[in-house]
Amino acid sequence: MNPIVSSISLNLPRPSPSDKRADRERLLDGLAETGINMPVELGLKILQILPSHLRENDFSITVTLGFLRDKAKVIAINNASVYGVAIDIGTTNMVASLFDLSRGKKVSLIEMENPQINSGLDVLSRVHEAMSGKSEDLHKSLIRGVNDLIRNLCSANNINHSDICAVVIAGNTIISHFFLNLPVENIPVEPYIPAAGAFDFLSPVDLGLDINPNGIVYVFPNAGSYVGGDIISGILFSGLYKDKRPSILIDVGTNAEIVLGCDEWIMVGAGAAGPALEGGISEIGMTAKEGAICRVRINRDNYAAQIETIGNREPEGICGSGMIDLIAELYNANIIDSRGSFTDGRSEFIIYESKRKKLAIKATDIDNFLRSKAAMFSLLYVMVKSVGLRFIDISRIYISGAFGTGIDPAKAISIGMVPDIEIERFRAVGNSSLKGAEMLLMERNLLADIDRICGMITYREMNTDGEFMREFPAAMFIPHTNPALLKA
Amino acid sequence: MNPIVSSISLNLPRPSPSDKRADRERLLDGLAETGINMPVELGLKILQILPSHLRENDFSITVTLGFLRDKAKVIAINNASVYGVAIDIGTTNMVASLFDLSRGKKVSLIEMENPQINSGLDVLSRVHEAMSGKSEDLHKSLIRGVNDLIRNLCSANNINHSDICAVVIAGNTIISHFFLNLPVENIPVEPYIPAAGAFDFLSPVDLGLDINPNGIVYVFPNAGSYVGGDIISGILFSGLYKDKRPSILIDVGTNAEIVLGCDEWIMVGAGAAGPALEGGISEIGMTAKEGAICRVRINRDNYAAQIETIGNREPEGICGSGMIDLIAELYNANIIDSRGSFTDGRSEFIIYESKRKKLAIKATDIDNFLRSKAAMFSLLYVMVKSVGLRFIDISRIYISGAFGTGIDPAKAISIGMVPDIEIERFRAVGNSSLKGAEMLLMERNLLADIDRICGMITYREMNTDGEFMREFPAAMFIPHTNPALLKA
C-alpha cells in the first residue's frame, strides 16, 4: 500500500565542518536516499520550522509527505498521526470516512445532508440560484458542510484537525465546481462545458478547509458535464477499466448513469431512469434507510402484502429495491397486468396499514416506476447493442448505491429491468463513489488509473437518443413486449 | 529573450457539440500547441475567472505565464502589462529595478536604506537581535522595505501592483533568511549551516509582498553561510562560470569576497578586506556617492592635493577609489614611505580645507587602509596559488560595486592591491548582484546556470587560513616587500 500521504523516519547525519549542507538540502538528500525519486517541495511554513525540529531531535525526524503525482510535498514534521478523509458529496447527502493512513485502517464513517439542499433539491435549481448572484453562498455552504463533517470526525475520534493531511473528494461535475467556487453556468447549457475537467491538487487554505494547512486536497476529475468525479471514482472502485471482458456499472441517482466498458474503452450513458428507483417520485417512495420497506411478498391466499423494513421498524415508505419486489409480486400474483394496470380495476394496493398509517401504491406510482424500469432497460440494451455486444458478453453488472445493496437481481430480471443473465454476475458495490475515493487515499498510484479512466471515456446522451426512444415503449411492459430481448 | 514571465495570445477554438473540452483543458491544449512543453499550473483563482474571460473575449485571450523551472504557472489572464522587479538587498542599502518584461526594457531604478539598519549596522548584530526574540520584527521590516520599494516604483511609473508579476531577490545568506522569515541563528556559528541553500519559487501572498497575488517570487540560492545569493547573482552576471580561462570577481563589502573560477570550477574566498575600502573605518571615509572624493592628485610643487568629487560638490569624505588614488599619490610623492609612515614625521595630511571643513588623513587611517589592501592582495595571491595558477593566467578581474566603478586599476596596481596584469583585463561591473537578478528576469533559462554555479562552488575560509596569515604581513608594504609577487 502506498497511501497518498505517508510518514518517513530519517536519521540524518549531523552537520560538521566537512558536511555543511543546509538543513533543507540535508533533508532532501536524506529523502532521496530512502528512495523518494521525485522532486520534494518544502513550503515556507515547513522550512521555517525545520531547523529547530532538526536540532531538538538530534537530526532524527519524521517527515510526513503528500504525494502529488510527479512530486511530493512535505506536509508536517514530527506529526504523531496521519489521517485522511474521503468524501462523497452527493446532491442530497454527503458521506465522509476517516482513515488512519499510517495503519491503513478506516476509523469512522459519517453522513449528513448536503447543506446546499436549502437552495434546491436538485443541482439544476442550485445552478439557477448561483446564476442569480448566490454562487459564493453556495460554495460557502458546501465548504461549511465539509468542515462540519471533518469537525465531527475529529471530535468523535479525538484527533486534531492538523492530523488530517489529505482530503479526497468525489462528486458530480456541478457539485465539484461548487466546491471549488468555479462558475457553473456553462455546465447545463449547450454545448455543456465545465470550467475544468481535471484539477491540480489544492491547498486547504485556499479552500478554507479546516485540516492541516500544509495538507493536500484532491478532487476527482470529470469527463464532461454529465460524467462527474463520482462516476469516475465508481469506475475506479469497480475495477471494470482493468477487465478484458466488458462489464456494466449502474449508478442510480436523479439520473441513472450506466457505465459500459473494459480495459480498452468505456462508454457512459445517462437517462432519466432514476427518480422512481430512488424513491423520489411516488408518494410512498423513500431512499433506502431505516423504516423503508425493502422486501415484499404477496400472500397468494389473501393477497395481503408481507413486508420487511430496514431496521425492522414500522414502515414509513418503500425504497427502490422494495418497489422492484412489489411490482414483481403484483405482476406474478396477477394483481397488475403486463401494462402495469390493476386487473380488477381498483385504484390502489395497500402495502401496509395500521391505526396510525396507511401505505398504498397507486396506478400512477406503478406507471412512474415502469417508466424508470423501461428507461433502465432501454439504456442497457441500446448501449450494449451500440458496441456490437450481447448481454451474454457482459462479465459483471455492478450496481452501486443503496438501491444496489438491497436489490434482488432475480426480481429485477423478472420484471425486465435488467438483462436476464446469471444472477452470479450481479454485484452490489455500495457507495462506489466514496469507496473509490477511499481507495485513492490508500493507494496513490491509482492517480494514474484515474487519468487513464478519464481518457477512455466517451459519453452518449441517451435522453434524446433516437434508438433509446424507439426501444423505450416496448420496455414499459412487464417484462417486455419481446421477452427474448432480455437475453439478447 | 525568454523572460521569467511572458504573455501568450491564444485564439482557442470555440466549444461545440463535437468539441466539449472543459475550459481548463482547452486552454492547456492551446498552450501546448504554442510549444509550451512543460506542465502548466492553473491556480484556483485563475480557474475561477477563466470561463468568463474566455466567453467575454470569444475564446481569444492573453495568458501571462510564469516559468518555474520545470513547470509554468498562469499568473494572469488578459493583463495589459507585465512587469518584473529585481532587487539587490544589501546589508546597508536596497536597490530595485523595474522591468517592462513584455518590451524587455528597464524602466526605473530606485534605492533606499535597508530598514533593518535600525536593528544594527551589520548582519551579525541583527542575528543577535533575532535570537533575542525579534526575528519576526526583522523579517517584517524587510518585507515592509521591499513593499516600499515596490510601491515607489509603481507610483513613479504609474503602474498597478497587479502588473508586477515577478520579483527576483538577491541578498547574502542571512538577509535572504530574514526575507523568508527563516531562522538565522545557525548561520554564524560552527559549522555555519543555513536553513536552506536553494528555495522553491515562492508565493507573494505567503510573503506578504504587494504584487500580483498569483505572481512568482524567486530568491537566489546560496552556497553556504558565506556565499550568498548576491555572490551567486554576481557570478551569473560576470559570466566567469562560462569561460574556459579562469577569471576573478572581486566584491567589496563588509568583507571582500573573491571569486576565482572558470567553466569547470569556482572557488570563493572571503576575508576582512572590506571596511577601509568601502569607507567604513576611517573618520573621513564614505561610500561612493555624491560629495565623495573619488580622484586625488598631489601637486609635486606645493604638495597640495587636487581632488575630484562625485557630483562636483564640496567634499564630505573620501571613497574607496579615492583612497587608492590618495595612497598611491602620497607614496609616489614620497610623503609616505613603503610602510605607510609619514616621511617627515607629521601626524596627518590635509586633503581638503575650507572655512567650513577640513578633511585630513591620519596615520591610523593609512594603516587601516594598508591592512585592507594587504588582505585583498593576500586573498588573491593565496587563492590563485592554491589552484596552481599564476596571475598571468587570469583572463579577467571583474570588480563589482561602487568601489569597482571608480577604481583606477593602474593606481591599485601601483600600491600592490591587485596583481600587476594588463589593465585591459580589469572590468568594473557595477552592482553585479542586482544585474544578475535583472538578467534572470529577462532570461529564465539562466535558472539552470544558477543551479550549475551553486554546484560548482567550493568555499575557502581565509580569515583563519594559515597561508593567508603568512602572506599578509609582506603585503602591508607599498607595493610589497617582494614586488615580483605582483606579477607572480
Side-chain angles (χ1 to χ4, degrees):
Chain A
M1 272 189 315
N2 305 290
I4 200 158
V5 175
S6 72
S7 292
I8 295 175
S9 290
L10 295 174
N11 293 307
L12 299 171
R14 266 162 284 178
S16 71
S18 64
D19 177 4
K20 296 190 173 197
R21 285 173 296 170
D23 295 341
R24 174 181 178 272
E25 281 67 22
R26 186 173 306 275
L27 178 68
L28 294 181
D29 290 347
L31 286 171
E33 278 165 26
T34 69
I36 305 284
N37 57 356
M38 51 175 81
V40 176
E41 194 179 289
L42 278 95
L44 201 51
K45 292 260 177 302
I46 295 292
L47 211 49
Q48 285 161 351
I49 61 167
L50 175 63
S52 58
H53 270 285
L54 285 174
R55 284 162 187 80
E56 283 161 18
N57 298 281
D58 202 20
F59 288 83
S60 292
I61 58 168
T62 300
V63 178
T64 301
L65 287 179
F67 293 90
L68 292 69
R69 212 174 298 263
D70 47 3
K71 71 176 177 186
K73 177 186 164 183
V74 178
I75 293 178
I77 296 176
N78 290 334
N79 224 38
S81 326
V82 180
Y83 288 88
V85 174
I87 310 180
D88 165 52
I89 309 184
T91 307
T92 310
N93 288 306
M94 312 195 298
V95 195
S97 54
L98 177 71
F99 270 74
D100 181 335
L101 295 180
S102 50
R103 292 187 297 157
K105 274 181 63 175
K106 181 143 128 183
V107 175
S108 191
L109 184 95
I110 198 171
E111 182 165 359
M112 62 175 256
E113 203 172 60
N114 183 332
Q116 288 188 326
I117 216 154
N118 298 320
S119 305
L121 288 175
D122 58 294
V123 285
L124 273 188
S125 49
R126 295 179 208 169
V127 169
H128 290 137
E129 183 129 336
M131 290 169 70
S132 73
K134 300 207 173 152
S135 161
E136 186 87 16
D137 295 348
L138 278 151
H139 163 67
K140 283 188 175 157
S141 80
L142 203 47
I143 296 293
R144 252 195 316 274
V146 169
N147 278 335
D148 285 346
L149 283 172
I150 291 170
R151 189 175 54 249
N152 290 339
L153 284 172
C154 282
S155 61
N157 297 282
N158 200 24
I159 64 170
N160 294 323
H161 286 250
S162 63
D163 291 335
I164 299 187
C165 299
V167 171
V168 172
I169 303 268
N172 69 43
T173 303
I174 288 175
I175 293 281
S176 298
H177 277 56
F178 276 133
F179 180 72
L180 299 172
N181 205 12
L182 300 177
V184 292
E185 61 257 34
N186 305 309
I187 301 179
V189 297
E190 265 287 4
Y192 312 107
I193 308 296
F199 312 98
D200 292 318
F201 275 84
L202 297 139
S203 154
V205 176
D206 289 348
L207 287 169
L209 288 190
D210 294 338
I211 66 166
N212 188 312
N214 301 312
I216 56 177
V217 180
Y218 177 80
V219 176
F220 266 84
N222 63 70
S225 291
Y226 292 107
V227 186
D230 49 352
I231 303 292
I232 307 288
S233 182
I235 294 172
L236 180 74
F237 178 69
S238 74
L240 73 73
Y241 67 100
K242 294 188 292 189
D243 293 341
K244 283 259 163 285
R245 292 180 55 198
S247 293
I248 286 173
L249 170 65
I250 298 175
D251 189 32
V252 173
T254 308
N255 263 346
E257 269 129 357
I258 308 289
V259 180
L260 167 66
C262 60
D263 61 354
E264 291 185 354
W265 51 268
I266 298 175
M267 177 189 285
V268 179
L277 301 183
E278 258 220 329
I281 288 182
S282 99
E283 244 174 63
I284 57 168
M286 68 181 283
T287 51
K289 60 184 182 185
E290 293 235 325
I293 298 169
C294 56
R295 286 276 168 271
V296 182
R297 294 285 171 277
I298 292 178
N299 185 320
R300 295 298 191 277
D301 298 326
N302 59 8
Y303 293 94
Q306 297 166 335
I307 59 167
E308 276 176 39
T309 63
I310 298 176
N312 280 323
R313 289 180 29 194
E314 179 169 28
E316 289 170 23
I318 186 164
C319 68
S321 62
M323 273 297 275
I324 292 171
D325 263 25
L326 174 61
I327 299 296
E329 286 287 288
L330 288 174
Y331 178 68
N332 288 332
N334 204 29
I335 298 170
I336 58 174
D337 62 19
S338 68
R339 293 170 181 268
S341 307
F342 287 114
T343 49
D344 60 359
R346 75 170 82 188
S347 66
E348 64 177 30
F349 175 83
I350 294 168
I351 312 166
Y352 174 79
E353 192 163 24
S354 71
K355 275 174 201 155
R356 209 174 60 80
K357 186 175 287 180
K358 179 181 134 182
L359 297 174
I361 186 164
K362 299 191 167 63
T364 49
D365 297 332
I366 296 171
D367 196 55
N368 279 329
F369 176 82
L370 290 182
R371 283 182 187 282
S372 282
K373 90 95 183 164
M376 173 72 79
F377 182 77
S378 306
L379 278 170
L380 293 169
Y381 178 76
V382 171
M383 285 178 67
V384 169
K385 217 178 109 181
S386 75
V387 291
L389 292 174
R390 298 171 59 214
F391 286 136
I392 196 80
D393 301 320
I394 302 303
S395 163
R396 292 265 176 274
I397 296 185
Y398 302 100
I399 309 179
S400 85
F403 171 72
T405 309
I407 205 171
D408 177 346
K411 289 280 170 61
I413 291 171
S414 77
I415 60 168
M417 189 167 97
V418 293
D420 185 4
I421 59 176
E422 300 141 70
I423 56 171
E424 289 74 19
R425 298 198 193 177
F426 289 85
R427 288 269 188 287
V429 288
N431 186 340
S432 57
S433 168
L434 178 69
K435 288 181 176 175
E438 292 177 348
M439 276 175 79
L440 178 62
L441 269 183
M442 288 311 303
E443 178 52 71
R444 60 181 177 261
N445 291 326
L446 292 177
L447 285 169
D449 294 40
I450 293 169
D451 293 346
R452 189 154 74 87
I453 291 169
C454 283
M456 288 164 74
I457 288 178
T458 53
Y459 174 71
R460 181 158 177 183
E461 171 60 41
M462 298 297 270
N463 281 325
T464 56
D465 185 275
E467 213 181 332
F468 174 78
M469 297 298 202
R470 275 192 300 281
E471 292 298 329
F472 184 84
M476 282 281 288
F477 287 79
I478 308 173
H480 197 278
T481 54
N482 177 9
L485 278 192
L486 296 175
K487 286 174 177 276
Chain B
M1 271 188 317
N2 305 291
I4 201 158
V5 175
S6 72
S7 292
I8 295 174
S9 290
L10 296 173
N11 293 308
L12 298 171
R14 266 163 284 179
S16 70
S18 64
D19 176 3
K20 295 191 171 196
R21 284 173 297 169
D23 295 341
R24 173 181 177 272
E25 281 67 22
R26 186 174 305 275
L27 178 67
L28 294 180
D29 290 348
L31 287 170
E33 279 166 24
T34 69
I36 306 284
N37 56 356
M38 49 175 79
V40 176
E41 195 178 285
L42 277 95
L44 201 49
K45 292 262 178 299
I46 295 292
L47 211 48
Q48 285 162 351
I49 61 167
L50 176 63
S52 60
H53 271 284
L54 284 174
R55 284 163 187 80
E56 282 161 18
N57 298 281
D58 202 21
F59 288 83
S60 293
I61 59 168
T62 300
V63 178
T64 302
L65 286 179
F67 292 90
L68 291 69
R69 211 174 298 264
D70 47 3
K71 71 176 176 186
K73 176 186 163 180
V74 178
I75 294 178
I77 296 176
N78 290 334
N79 225 37
S81 327
V82 180
Y83 288 89
V85 174
I87 310 180
D88 166 52
I89 308 184
T91 307
T92 310
N93 288 306
M94 311 196 298
V95 195
S97 54
L98 177 70
F99 271 73
D100 181 335
L101 296 181
S102 49
R103 291 186 298 158
K105 276 181 61 175
K106 181 143 129 184
V107 175
S108 191
L109 185 95
I110 198 171
E111 182 163 359
M112 61 174 257
E113 204 171 58
N114 182 332
Q116 290 188 325
I117 216 152
N118 298 321
S119 307
L121 288 176
D122 58 292
V123 284
L124 273 188
S125 48
R126 294 178 209 170
V127 169
H128 290 137
E129 182 130 337
M131 289 169 71
S132 73
K134 299 206 174 155
S135 161
E136 186 87 16
D137 295 348
L138 278 150
H139 162 66
K140 284 189 176 155
S141 80
L142 202 47
I143 296 292
R144 253 196 313 274
V146 169
N147 277 335
D148 285 347
L149 283 172
I150 291 170
R151 189 177 50 251
N152 290 339
L153 284 172
C154 282
S155 61
N157 297 281
N158 201 23
I159 65 170
N160 294 324
H161 286 251
S162 63
D163 291 335
I164 299 187
C165 298
V167 171
V168 172
I169 303 269
N172 69 43
T173 303
I174 289 175
I175 293 280
S176 299
H177 276 57
F178 276 133
F179 181 72
L180 300 172
N181 204 13
L182 299 177
V184 292
E185 62 258 34
N186 306 308
I187 301 179
V189 297
E190 266 285 7
Y192 312 107
I193 307 296
F199 311 98
D200 292 317
F201 275 84
L202 297 139
S203 155
V205 176
D206 289 349
L207 288 169
L209 288 191
D210 293 337
I211 65 166
N212 188 312
N214 300 312
I216 56 178
V217 180
Y218 178 80
V219 176
F220 266 83
N222 62 71
S225 290
Y226 292 107
V227 186
D230 49 352
I231 304 291
I232 307 289
S233 181
I235 295 171
L236 181 74
F237 178 68
S238 74
L240 72 73
Y241 67 100
K242 294 187 294 190
D243 292 344
K244 284 259 164 280
R245 292 180 53 200
S247 293
I248 285 173
L249 170 66
I250 298 176
D251 189 31
V252 173
T254 309
N255 264 344
E257 269 129 357
I258 308 289
V259 180
L260 167 64
C262 60
D263 62 353
E264 291 186 354
W265 50 269
I266 298 175
M267 177 190 284
V268 178
L277 302 183
E278 259 221 328
I281 287 183
S282 100
E283 245 174 61
I284 57 167
M286 66 182 285
T287 51
K289 59 183 180 187
E290 293 234 324
I293 298 169
C294 56
R295 285 275 167 272
V296 182
R297 293 286 171 276
I298 292 177
N299 186 321
R300 296 296 192 277
D301 298 328
N302 58 8
Y303 293 93
Q306 296 165 334
I307 60 166
E308 276 176 39
T309 62
I310 298 176
N312 281 323
R313 291 181 26 195
E314 179 168 27
E316 288 170 24
I318 185 164
C319 68
S321 61
M323 274 298 274
I324 292 171
D325 264 24
L326 175 61
I327 299 297
E329 286 287 291
L330 289 173
Y331 178 68
N332 288 334
N334 204 30
I335 299 170
I336 59 175
D337 61 19
S338 69
R339 292 169 183 270
S341 307
F342 287 114
T343 48
D344 61 0
R346 73 169 85 184
S347 66
E348 64 177 27
F349 175 84
I350 293 168
I351 313 166
Y352 174 78
E353 192 162 26
S354 70
K355 276 175 198 150
R356 212 172 58 79
K357 184 176 288 178
K358 178 181 133 181
L359 296 174
I361 186 164
K362 299 191 168 65
T364 50
D365 297 331
I366 295 171
D367 198 57
N368 279 331
F369 177 83
L370 290 181
R371 285 184 186 280
S372 282
K373 90 98 183 161
M376 173 72 79
F377 181 78
S378 306
L379 278 172
L380 293 168
Y381 178 76
V382 171
M383 285 178 66
V384 169
K385 217 178 107 179
S386 74
V387 291
L389 292 175
R390 299 170 58 213
F391 286 136
I392 195 80
D393 302 320
I394 302 302
S395 163
R396 291 265 177 276
I397 297 186
Y398 303 100
I399 308 180
S400 85
F403 171 72
T405 309
I407 205 170
D408 176 346
K411 290 279 169 62
I413 291 170
S414 76
I415 61 168
M417 188 166 98
V418 294
D420 185 4
I421 58 177
E422 300 141 70
I423 57 171
E424 289 74 19
R425 298 199 194 176
F426 289 86
R427 287 271 189 288
V429 288
N431 185 341
S432 56
S433 169
L434 178 69
K435 287 181 176 174
E438 293 177 347
M439 276 175 79
L440 178 61
L441 269 183
M442 288 310 301
E443 179 51 72
R444 60 181 177 259
N445 291 327
L446 293 177
L447 285 170
D449 293 41
I450 293 169
D451 293 346
R452 189 155 73 86
I453 291 168
C454 283
M456 288 165 74
I457 288 177
T458 53
Y459 174 72
R460 180 158 178 183
E461 172 59 42
M462 299 297 273
N463 280 327
T464 56
D465 185 275
E467 214 182 333
F468 174 79
M469 297 298 201
R470 275 193 300 281
E471 292 299 330
F472 183 85
M476 283 281 289
F477 287 79
I478 307 173
H480 196 279
T481 54
N482 176 10
L485 277 193
L486 295 176
K487 286 175 177 280

